[in-house]
Amino acid sequence: MPPSERLPLEQVLEIVSALEAVVLRSFGPEGGQVLFTRDTGQAMLSRSGTCILSALHLEHPLARVVVESVWKHSRGTGDGSKTFILLLASLLRGISKATSRGPSASHAYGFTEAAKAAAAPYFANKLLELVSSDLDDLIAVNVVPYGFCVSLEDFTTHSGRLLLASFFHTRVSHVHCSYLSELTCEMLNRWKYKSDLPYISFQFLSDNFPALHTPVSGFPVSSSRLIEGQVIHRDFATPCLPSKQQPVKVVVFTDYMQPILLSTGDVLKLGYGGGVTPESSIVHFSAWTERSLESVIAELQSLGVSLLLSAVKQSDAAVALATQAHMSLVECVSEEELSLFVQLSGVTPVSRGCTIQLEHVAALSFCRPILLGGHRYVQVAFCESPKSSKVNPCSLVICGPGEGQTDQYICAIRDAVCMLMTTWEPKHTSETTASRGTLQSDKGTASLDMTPTFQSTANKPYGLKKCVFEPGCVIPAGGTFEFLLSRALPNPSSDTNGLPSVSQLLANALLSVPRQIYSHSPKLFLQAQTRIMSLVQNPSNPFSLGLKESTPGPMVDLGLESVTCKYQLILAVVQCATSVLRVDTVLHTRTALHTQSKKHTIFSRASTEDEAED
Amino acid sequence: MALNGDDEDYEWEPPTEAEMKVIQARRERQDKISRLMGDYLLKGYKMLGDCCDACGTILLQDRQQKNYCVSCQEMDSDIDKDNPALNAQAALSQVRERQLAAQTPEVNDGPSSSSSSSTQASGSVPQPRPEHCEGAAAGGRTPLPPPAVPPPSAPVPATPLPSARPPAPPQSSVFSPVLQDAEEAVLTKLRWATAQLQSSASLEASIQLCSLISSCANSLRSLKELSQ
């Protein structure tokens, strides 16, 4: 019988406190960076909570559950992973204090052991009820009036820059904040769909980000820039480059041009069905394949194609024939880049066995090699067409002194786009699975005026999730949200059974966030709190918290943050706390595969899902 | 959920100050453990799924596959500081408690009020308080004349303590020689303690010597009051 152990609240708290201690020093705009090194010498520099926590060696199953929740939340909103852990730890501490009042918890307060053990999940369930039902109304009534909505026109001028700058403040060093936020703003501007929701363009960018950026190490950050068109991260396979005359015609191949003869394990049966004749031999077959290739190349020449993009590595014969025909060939283009190219150019890729027609040919304004860092890539720019006139495609080149820093900047920009996508998510409610719209580009009519039809794809990790705030709702950063919400949470005077109410627990936990932000100067915390409380009580000027302040104070410079991200953060934290507190037992099992490590399995009473950790 | 009844709520009292101190100390200890654990995690240690048998803290494992418990191996144990075998302070507290328990009947059966007051007055001086017992223990092996060689200030266990009890003050009815002797003894001790303090390098010893000096000063004051 494998040993099992009860999972006391103290142990849960210890684990989460250890994780909190890990991320605490990187928290906030004043936080520091963590440098991880591998034995291979590879270094990773990060201030992102998700990166730091994912890099730790954690074998305890509960720790892994927490880190996975953080990761899921970060993937959804792009921000708030360190705040997640901070809130979770304070919440658990509050619950622990509430369930063990008295110096020796066994006899005090009349709790039996079983009742004590059930107290923590009870609190968690009540908390989950509170946030699921009342939180959005509380925020909408008490917090949102002190912020404002940023419209798309404003975005590129001032407020958007401020929002991005305050985000980058928590991710990269403050020296590079403004430059990166300018760069990101410019990129977003170029990708704006003028008549559509900003959400669509943010989502497009977020989905295609791997294909839209190029990391270059060895240069200072200020060398980062935007490049027109798309960069295909492959070099030409043929020595000849496309002609400079416009337009450059391009065909995309997803399969081999020459029918592949024999791969390992294939059996070729010659002359089958027509009887074996003396002429049927491998020589005839290979001659046939060469003839078919020649016809393909001739077809391409007649259409005036000078650039071929291929998803696979073409045969040597194909490369040679293409060189002879003065066509450039780029092989092994990644799937994401090809799909982006197809979307932006409106072309249909040539698949196996189909003849090449006009719809397979696209026109580019230019195609040339570009040297970025130590690599030569292919840069393509798209012709102005009525369909694509709304968008000015551009690609981002991000430079950094070393690989670690470059990765850090890339992660920061990617998460910034994700955060913007969350902030501008349109207001609607969703039932069980998520409702993020996806851009379905049809093969035949790949167009850029994507209509906002929301097809439900299971994109979000959580069940019940509502987008209940106006798109673009932001609030001044620096703890404003937490102060306002903690004040707004109901504070019943008479506690039921003498236990503290869950809203009090949440309010106290929320205040730990600004306390940590101002941890280097507690005076500022009190100042900020007083300022906000006085503004709340004096409702004559509700926008005076914002940027239109006449008297500058420490709060004005702290920037903006998104209300939706904060709301989703609180939801995620409470859900994680509930799932963690519902765990009753950890069973240690041994599997044959992992002889050195034990396999831990968590079983929880209420939920039906089993989480098996490896 | 069955929380045991409201009638027992009335029995709950807020924790007293001592209990609050214990809670606070425990919380600080937990915070320190978390901080240490976080540091080790950042150094590349692995957080295991097991707990330490002795203290229940989560175990860490370093690169060499060695298990490591933060609280057992790095922090002073919560309970070890009360164990007399391991801690000199605890030992001295224990002795002091025993002495106080033994002396209370003695003082009550003491002689007449005048000499009892002098006993008390002079008795208050040589009664070694545990905090400066080390110094007294070290310095009080010989009676009244000051020790020639400054004794080592290393903490010693309970054995020299009985010898540290200075000789009982003379029970004579003569007032002034007694007071004079007492004053002299106190001054000697004061001088010795000052010399020790100047050369002391240890924090504990310095604290104890300072308290010895202050108690000597108090005793001198009370002796002067008596003589007036």
Side-chain angles (χ1 to χ4, degrees):
Chain A
M1 176 75 171
S4 75
E5 61 202 47
R6 287 209 60 83
L7 207 60
L9 180 57
E10 286 76 27
Q11 205 182 101
V12 175
L13 191 54
E14 201 167 275
I15 295 169
V16 179
S17 304
L19 294 178
E20 186 196 17
V22 167
V23 296
L24 210 56
R25 279 185 289 186
S26 315
F27 178 73
E30 313 284 329
Q33 312 197 47
V34 180
L35 174 69
F36 288 102
T37 50
R38 282 215 175 102
D39 291 337
T40 53
Q42 201 184 0
M44 178 182 90
L45 197 63
S46 179
R47 275 177 76 184
S48 152
T50 324
C51 290
I52 297 174
L53 290 171
S54 311
L56 297 176
H57 299 296
L58 297 169
E59 241 187 46
H60 199 292
L62 220 59
R64 290 160 77 142
V65 165
V66 171
V67 170
E68 198 172 317
S69 308
V70 172
W71 182 77
K72 277 191 207 160
H73 167 76
S74 175
R75 195 181 59 157
T77 55
D79 193 14
S81 38
K82 299 187 285 278
T83 321
F84 187 109
I85 295 282
L86 210 64
L87 268 180
L88 184 66
S90 342
L91 207 58
L92 288 176
R93 250 180 236 128
I95 293 179
S96 164
K97 212 159 72 162
T99 53
S100 61
R101 269 154 78 159
S104 57
S106 54
H107 73 273
Y109 207 50
F111 271 132
T112 58
E113 268 304 316
K116 250 182 57 61
Y122 164 75
F123 274 116
N125 287 331
K126 296 280 286 188
L127 206 55
L128 191 60
E129 270 176 40
L130 171 73
V131 299
S132 313
S133 56
D134 297 335
L135 189 67
D136 45 354
D137 295 324
L138 278 171
I139 293 179
V141 169
N142 294 294
V143 179
V144 170
Y146 296 96
F148 54 95
C149 281
V150 179
S151 63
L152 194 57
E153 291 75 32
D154 271 348
F155 177 77
T156 44
T157 51
H158 182 55
S159 315
R161 276 213 179 88
L162 202 55
L163 179 63
L164 279 174
S166 42
F167 174 81
F168 282 123
H169 244 106
T170 64
R171 286 302 184 92
V172 297
S173 68
H174 66 279
V175 180
H176 306 304
C177 273
S178 51
Y179 184 75
L180 283 176
S181 61
E182 296 262 344
L183 196 63
T184 316
C185 262
E186 204 186 315
M187 183 171 84
L188 293 167
N189 210 10
R190 300 249 317 238
W191 280 102
K192 233 170 13 178
Y193 293 171
K194 292 174 186 55
S195 63
D196 288 323
L197 302 172
Y199 174 72
I200 306 280
S201 58
F202 293 149
Q203 190 176 15
F204 181 78
L205 269 177
S206 180
D207 292 340
N208 291 297
F209 192 76
L212 280 172
H213 80 277
T214 311
V216 175
S217 319
F219 291 90
V221 179
S222 45
S223 310
S224 310
R225 59 193 190 279
L226 289 174
I227 295 186
E228 195 193 335
Q230 185 186 352
V231 172
I232 297 179
H233 298 95
R234 284 275 180 262
D235 197 4
F236 290 107
T238 53
C240 58
L241 302 176
S243 56
K244 299 258 192 314
Q245 49 187 249
Q246 293 195 3
V248 175
K249 296 239 174 81
V250 61
V251 171
V252 176
F253 284 94
T254 53
D255 208 346
Y256 298 98
M257 289 196 298
Q258 181 181 19
I260 201 81
L261 267 189
L262 290 170
S263 16
T264 333
D266 282 355
V267 173
L268 183 65
K269 285 188 179 162
L270 291 170
Y272 192 70
V276 177
T277 61
E279 291 82 27
S280 308
S281 67
I282 190 76
V283 174
H284 286 101
F285 183 71
S286 57
W288 170 78
T289 55
E290 273 180 32
R291 276 199 302 275
S292 65
L293 178 64
E294 278 162 13
S295 70
V296 164
I297 297 286
E299 181 74 40
L300 289 171
Q301 257 182 326
S302 69
L303 287 168
V305 172
S306 53
L307 176 66
L308 305 171
L309 293 179
S310 162
V312 297
K313 184 158 176 55
Q314 301 290 345
S315 60
D316 295 335
V319 175
L321 278 174
T323 316
Q324 249 179 16
H326 302 287
M327 282 188 238
S328 314
L329 172 65
V330 183
E331 295 175 321
C332 304
V333 183
S334 73
E335 211 181 298
E336 296 126 3
E337 287 172 14
L338 262 187
S339 73
L340 177 66
F341 183 87
V342 158
Q343 277 186 43
L344 291 177
S345 60
V347 82
T348 314
V350 175
S351 50
R352 189 176 205 164
C354 66
T355 51
I356 301 173
Q357 288 152 16
L358 217 56
E359 65 191 19
H360 298 121
V361 181
L364 303 172
S365 65
F366 65 78
C367 165
R368 57 181 178 227
I370 182 169
L371 200 63
L372 292 173
H375 302 275
R376 196 173 82 153
Y377 298 129
V378 173
Q379 181 189 3
V380 295
F382 303 94
C383 281
E384 289 285 322
S385 76
K387 283 186 293 193
S388 63
S389 60
K390 297 183 198 179
V391 156
N392 193 357
C394 62
S395 182
L396 185 60
V397 173
I398 304 175
C399 301
E403 225 178 273
Q405 280 118 322
T406 319
D407 284 338
Q408 190 186 18
Y409 301 138
I410 291 172
C411 286
I413 294 181
R414 188 189 57 212
D415 289 339
V417 175
C418 191
M419 187 264 292
L420 292 172
M421 185 168 68
T422 313
T423 312
W424 263 270
E425 195 160 345
K427 191 171 170 175
H428 60 280
T429 60
S430 72
E431 294 307 317
T432 48
T433 52
S435 61
R436 277 241 171 112
T438 57
L439 302 171
Q440 301 289 343
S441 71
D442 311 314
K443 285 286 175 177
T445 58
S447 68
L448 293 167
D449 47 350
M450 316 289 180
T451 52
T453 54
F454 294 106
Q455 293 138 19
S456 67
T457 55
N459 211 359
K460 276 286 186 195
Y462 314 117
L464 186 65
K465 197 189 82 63
K466 300 193 277 188
C467 311
V468 292
F469 306 113
E470 291 296 328
C473 191
V474 297
I475 196 168
T480 316
F481 182 90
E482 286 84 12
F483 283 132
L484 290 170
L485 185 58
S486 63
R487 191 187 163 273
L489 281 165
N491 195 355
S493 52
S494 64
D495 302 334
T496 57
N497 293 340
L499 293 168
S501 70
V502 287
S503 51
Q504 258 178 324
L505 275 177
L506 186 59
N508 292 337
L510 280 171
L511 283 179
S512 68
V513 173
R515 222 172 254 132
Q516 189 53 40
I517 294 178
Y518 297 112
S519 60
H520 57 283
S521 165
K523 185 177 81 159
L524 284 178
F525 170 76
L526 291 173
Q527 274 182 2
Q529 191 173 28
T530 328
R531 184 196 192 91
I532 292 176
M533 292 310 156
S534 65
L535 281 164
V536 164
Q537 270 138 26
N538 180 15
S540 58
N541 196 1
F543 287 101
S544 60
L545 271 178
L547 311 160
K548 301 155 194 154
E549 270 267 338
S550 53
T551 56
M555 288 233 9
V556 179
D557 298 329
L558 281 171
L560 298 173
E561 59 189 11
S562 153
V563 172
T564 319
C565 289
K566 286 284 180 182
Y567 167 64
Q568 289 183 15
L569 172 71
I570 298 180
L571 277 181
V573 167
V574 172
Q575 281 169 351
C576 179
T578 316
S579 62
V580 148
L581 289 176
R582 276 191 194 146
V583 170
D584 295 322
T585 304
V586 172
L587 294 185
H588 300 276
T589 62
R590 289 188 186 272
T591 61
L593 287 172
H594 307 274
T595 47
Q596 280 172 341
S597 67
K598 290 188 266 185
K599 195 168 164 144
H600 300 256
T601 323
I602 293 184
F603 288 97
S604 74
R605 176 172 36 180
S607 70
T608 51
E609 32 175 288
D610 288 343
E611 288 188 16
E613 306 284 336
D614 67 325
Chain B
M1 168 190 137
L3 283 179
N4 275 342
D6 295 308
D7 47 338
E8 291 180 354
D9 286 350
Y10 299 118
E11 291 174 6
W12 181 76
E13 289 156 27
T16 62
E17 210 174 293
E19 289 164 348
M20 284 299 290
K21 281 197 185 139
V22 169
I23 295 176
Q24 181 72 9
R26 202 170 289 156
R27 203 178 302 153
E28 276 170 14
R29 193 186 137 80
Q30 281 302 115
D31 285 343
K32 201 161 164 209
I33 289 179
S34 307
R35 215 173 320 138
L36 284 171
M37 230 194 277
D39 284 342
Y40 278 114
L41 283 174
L42 280 173
K43 281 190 197 146
Y45 279 50
K46 193 193 291 193
M47 181 194 272
L48 296 179
D50 304 318
C51 295
C52 173
D53 298 323
C55 56
T57 323
I58 307 258
L59 281 173
L60 300 172
Q61 191 185 68
D62 63 3
R63 304 289 191 90
Q64 283 81 33
Q65 313 287 328
K66 215 162 48 108
N67 288 1
Y68 184 79
C69 174
V70 171
S71 67
C72 289
Q73 294 179 9
E74 245 182 67
M75 305 219 0
D76 303 328
S77 164
D78 213 7
I79 47 167
D80 275 356
K81 68 178 191 317
D82 297 325
N83 187 353
L86 292 174
N87 194 341
Q89 286 283 3
L92 294 170
S93 320
Q94 212 178 44
V95 169
R96 168 195 175 193
E97 282 161 27
R98 277 204 219 112
Q99 280 176 355
L100 280 175
Q103 269 160 28
T104 334
E106 214 182 275
V107 169
N108 289 339
D109 303 339
S112 60
S113 55
S114 56
S115 50
S116 76
S117 63
S118 76
T119 317
Q120 273 182 7
S122 48
S124 69
V125 170
Q127 280 309 314
R129 282 213 300 263
E131 296 86 270
H132 53 266
C133 206
E134 287 174 22
R141 286 181 212 268
T142 62
L144 288 172
V149 178
S153 59
V156 288
T159 33
L161 288 173
S163 65
R165 283 189 63 138
Q171 299 281 337
S172 67
S173 54
V174 180
F175 220 52
S176 38
V178 171
L179 288 178
Q180 269 176 2
D181 289 342
E183 253 183 63
E184 217 179 288
V186 172
L187 282 168
T188 317
K189 201 52 77 187
L190 195 61
R191 250 177 256 128
W192 172 84
T194 323
Q196 278 295 303
L197 189 63
Q198 276 166 357
S199 59
S200 161
S202 142
L203 181 63
E204 277 303 314
S206 311
I207 295 173
Q208 289 161 10
L209 288 169
C210 285
S211 45
L212 170 60
I213 293 175
S214 63
S215 54
C216 290
N218 285 338
S219 329
L220 278 176
R221 197 182 309 133
S222 36
L223 283 174
K224 287 213 165 37
E225 279 168 20
L226 269 179
S227 62
Q228 283 156 13

